[in-house]
Amino acid sequence: MAASVCRVGTTVGRALAKNRSPILLSLRRGQSSVSYAQSLAGAPETRLTALDNGLRVASEETGHATCTVGLWISAGSRYENEKNNGAGFFLEHMAFKGTKKYPQTALEQQVESMGAHLNAYTSREHTAYYMKTLAKDLPKAVELLAEVVQSCSLNEAEIEQQRGVLLRELEEVDGNLQEVCLDLLHATAFQGTPLGQSVLGPSKNARSLTRENLVDYINSHYKAPRMVLAAAGGVNHEELVDLAKSNFSGISFEYEGDAVPVLSPCRFTGSDIRMRDDGFPLAHIAIAVEGASVTSPDIVPLMVANCIIGSYDLTYGGGKHLSSRLARLAVEANLCHSFQAFHSSYSDTGLMGIYFVTDKNSIEDMMHWSQNAWMNLCTTVTESDVTRGKNALKASLVGQLNGTTPICDDIGRHILNYGRRIPLAEWDARIDAVTASVVRDVCTKYIYDKCPAVAAVGPVEQLPDYNRMRSAMYWLRF
């Protein structure tokens, strides 16, 4: 059964990986390869239709024998409060435990008989339930998704059982230092705001959340205007719209007392948080500044800037010949075991930073060169650096959308974020428009002389004082 019905655990690491833009490499049958220009011209159109209740239906038809269809919802830990933090993640666990029409065994048998995979994930602003199946089974897949989202049984016995599963998963996450570090980064950067909450929620909430809390969460956030039924692969848009009308027309678009939830602004606070434990072999450290929102025009230059910094792992080949300057320094001076530049974008803010894993004796040096890389972006980045970053960004974006599931996920998130699927050619044009001057100006706006947020876990005694890290956010020379 594990091969057919499974959850995609919500992790910040995966959330970082999902921050990408829609670049699709479209390969026609009978062709062994296709040029980048051909992929721009041959990208299928994403069609969008809105139902009477506000639910949107979006699809991309590629003619494949398989398809992925799912429901993307504007709901996540940012919509929770201190008391019900973790409710969305709890519901993700409950999704496949049966519905009013299909008990758990019957639901599993339905999915098994189709040879399908039913998955779900929860992030800070989005929740998704999706299924990958044969194109001919699209009607049944939509029916099962509608059952899971609208008629989850929420049996008291199952809730108690999943409570124990949740607590064990929380313990497992505590052992993943990358997850701990990046959750702490959000907690300190957005302290006192909903974005500072983790997706999983605290263990005390996992013990105390009730069926009433879960039902209230569904009634408050699972509304038609905040949902997108997305599909990619061998799907016909008109058929998908008809299926949406027959299965999702009953979803309400009204709020009790017209109390429409409005996201409050989440302020960024320059600060640091340290969880020192000398028993760990390596230190996990993240430093970030407030980044651009998902709809900001600055998002593309910042993505190019992150590609210039790049990433590194001990398993990489190339050594001192790596294209990233920070990666070359990491190799030559043995600065770290790995590092990754990242940008997590939300509806009105973001986090742009560098996460690295290093030996306890190299923390100060790695922090120095990481901040030095930021200063170079603000002051001395060259056209050749930007050209390399743009090419790396295009290659990365193309490679990440290599199947119906990532394409479907991209469609769902883009409709929620932008109200449309941004065409392939538009992203390409926005990337091509980035110059060295633009990178310097945008990076200066977000990085130069700004207060960073820092999170550190492990043997972090050597991590510099916060005021010293703050003073490295500007140069007294140009």
Side-chain angles (χ1 to χ4, degrees):
M1 192 57 225
S4 297
V5 178
C6 59
R7 286 187 321 95
V8 177
T10 299
T11 63
V12 178
R14 196 197 66 243
L16 299 180
K18 287 178 53 173
N19 280 303
R20 53 185 181 261
S21 305
I23 302 291
L24 169 64
L25 181 59
S26 177
L27 295 175
R28 299 177 182 175
R29 286 182 187 174
Q31 290 183 325
S32 60
S33 62
V34 64
S35 70
Y36 182 71
Q38 286 175 315
S39 72
L40 287 177
E45 176 190 8
T46 300
R47 300 181 61 185
L48 178 62
T49 301
L51 303 187
D52 292 340
N53 62 356
L55 185 141
R56 288 162 289 180
V57 182
S59 69
E60 179 181 289
E61 185 174 358
T62 61
H64 289 92
T66 60
C67 70
T68 299
V69 60
L71 202 67
W72 272 256
I73 309 168
S74 284
S77 61
R78 186 175 180 180
Y79 292 86
E80 299 164 357
N81 54 46
E82 186 176 342
K83 292 183 178 179
N84 73 349
N85 181 209
F89 189 67
F90 206 129
L91 278 172
E92 179 192 324
H93 274 258
M94 296 298 300
F96 310 132
K97 300 305 174 184
T99 68
K100 295 174 183 177
K101 181 177 180 181
Y102 296 103
Q104 181 177 355
T105 302
L107 178 63
E108 292 173 353
Q109 288 175 345
Q110 289 286 336
V111 177
E112 280 279 8
S113 66
M114 298 162 58
H117 293 268
L118 180 60
N119 303 305
Y121 72 79
T122 308
S123 65
R124 283 183 162 79
E125 291 188 334
H126 297 150
T127 297
Y129 301 90
Y130 58 98
M131 183 183 293
K132 184 175 178 66
T133 184
L134 294 173
K136 67 181 181 65
D137 292 324
L138 177 65
K140 191 64 178 180
V142 174
E143 179 197 343
L144 292 177
L145 285 170
E147 276 291 311
V148 166
V149 172
Q150 299 178 82
S151 304
C152 188
S153 62
L154 297 181
N155 180 278
E156 289 284 2
E158 287 290 350
I159 289 175
E160 292 306 315
Q161 180 185 355
Q162 288 306 305
R163 199 184 304 280
V165 174
L166 262 176
L167 291 171
R168 288 194 296 273
E169 188 164 338
L170 285 168
E171 291 178 2
E172 292 175 5
V173 170
D174 286 343
N176 185 329
L177 296 191
Q178 176 178 340
E179 303 298 330
V180 173
C181 182
L182 293 171
D183 267 347
L184 288 175
L185 181 67
H186 278 78
T188 192
F190 297 112
Q191 54 188 272
T193 73
L195 270 182
Q197 300 172 156
S198 72
V199 175
L200 280 66
S203 58
K204 66 175 183 178
N205 284 7
R207 294 185 177 92
S208 62
L209 283 170
T210 64
R211 185 180 189 278
E212 183 181 359
N213 296 138
L214 301 181
V215 171
D216 286 344
Y217 184 87
I218 293 173
N219 292 338
S220 298
H221 302 296
Y222 283 25
K223 300 296 184 181
R226 293 167 60 177
M227 295 182 176
V228 175
L229 180 67
V235 294
N236 177 274
H237 185 72
E238 285 74 19
E239 179 189 7
L240 185 64
V241 171
D242 290 339
L243 290 169
K245 288 178 179 178
S246 60
N247 289 281
F248 294 103
S249 292
I251 296 181
S252 173
F253 59 89
E254 297 177 336
Y255 292 89
E256 185 176 346
D258 291 331
V260 180
V262 178
L263 285 177
S264 58
C266 289
R267 69 182 183 279
F268 177 91
T269 303
S271 54
D272 70 340
I273 183 168
R274 306 170 190 227
M275 195 172 80
R276 181 179 173 184
D277 188 335
D278 293 343
F280 290 120
L282 298 171
H284 295 248
I285 298 169
I287 179 171
V289 292
E290 184 174 16
S293 69
V294 71
T295 56
S296 170
D298 296 330
I299 192 73
V300 173
L302 290 178
M303 291 168 67
V304 172
N306 270 349
C307 285
I308 293 172
I309 293 177
S311 61
Y312 168 73
D313 190 274
L314 279 176
T315 60
Y316 285 8
K320 63 181 181 180
H321 303 294
L322 291 168
S323 58
S324 163
R325 177 173 177 267
L326 185 56
R328 292 197 300 271
L329 287 168
V331 172
E332 293 171 353
N334 195 26
L335 293 177
C336 66
H337 286 234
S338 65
F339 76 81
Q340 173 70 54
F342 66 88
H343 193 291
S344 298
S345 299
Y346 302 105
S347 58
D348 58 353
T349 186
L351 278 181
M352 178 184 179
I354 300 174
Y355 164 78
F356 59 88
V357 180
T358 187
D359 179 81
K360 63 181 180 180
N361 296 316
S362 302
I363 295 174
E364 189 172 7
D365 289 340
M366 185 59 194
M367 179 61 75
H368 166 77
W369 288 113
S370 296
Q371 293 184 275
N372 181 270
W374 273 351
M375 294 301 98
N376 285 330
L377 289 176
C378 298
T379 57
T380 60
V381 68
T382 65
E383 288 292 349
S384 62
D385 291 331
V386 173
T387 299
R388 173 177 59 81
K390 286 156 67 172
N391 290 336
L393 177 58
K394 290 179 180 180
S396 173
L397 297 176
V398 166
Q400 287 174 344
L401 294 182
N402 60 353
T404 60
T405 299
I407 294 171
C408 186
D409 178 60
D410 202 68
I411 292 172
R413 290 184 297 105
H414 270 249
I415 302 301
L416 291 177
N417 290 332
Y418 305 111
R420 67 187 181 106
R421 177 93 184 281
I422 298 181
L424 181 73
E426 183 176 333
W427 283 106
D428 184 68
R430 290 174 64 180
I431 294 172
D432 284 339
V434 176
T435 64
S437 176
V438 170
V439 170
R440 286 194 294 269
D441 290 346
V442 172
C443 287
T444 297
K445 174 181 175 181
Y446 287 91
I447 300 174
Y448 199 84
D449 202 19
K450 296 295 189 294
C451 296
V454 181
V457 181
V460 296
E461 181 182 10
Q462 201 190 71
L463 183 67
D465 174 76
Y466 181 81
N467 288 328
R468 183 173 170 188
M469 291 185 286
R470 174 64 181 85
S471 67
M473 297 299 291
Y474 61 88
W475 279 350
L476 297 178
R477 59 182 176 82
F478 268 68

